Amino acid sequence: MTIFVSTTWHGEGRTDLDDVLARMEGLDIDGIELGSTHAFRSDLAAVIGRRVRGRIMTHNFFPPAVDDR
């Protein structure tokens, strides 16, 4: 069985992807789904490259929009 965990698990509203991925480090999982509840960051690719060591899936609303009103 393959196990992915979504980054949307952490809190309500807009969250910081770097913070969420840091909290997920060390989990015994096969990959991460990049969710839709994160605040825009201009360095998202760098954050993902620094934090994710497994497989990645993206939610249909990832990456977040610059203006998410």
Side-chain angles (χ1 to χ4, degrees):
M1 175 173 27
T2 303
I3 299 174
F4 278 72
V5 174
S6 176
T7 58
T8 61
W9 68 270
H10 179 63
E12 295 180 18
R14 298 284 173 222
T15 57
D16 179 61
L17 182 61
D18 191 40
D19 178 52
V20 174
L21 290 174
R23 292 170 184 258
M24 295 174 78
E25 287 179 356
L27 294 178
D28 186 20
I29 58 177
D30 300 300
I32 292 174
E33 179 213 22
L34 298 171
S36 61
T37 60
H38 307 296
F40 175 80
R41 291 178 61 138
S42 61
D43 64 342
L44 284 174
V47 168
I48 294 164
R50 185 172 61 250
R51 296 282 186 193
V52 179
R53 297 290 172 247
R55 294 165 56 191
I56 300 172
M57 291 186 341
T58 58
H59 186 277
N60 61 327
F61 291 115
F62 187 88
V66 174
D67 182 7
D68 62 353
R69 287 185 254 175

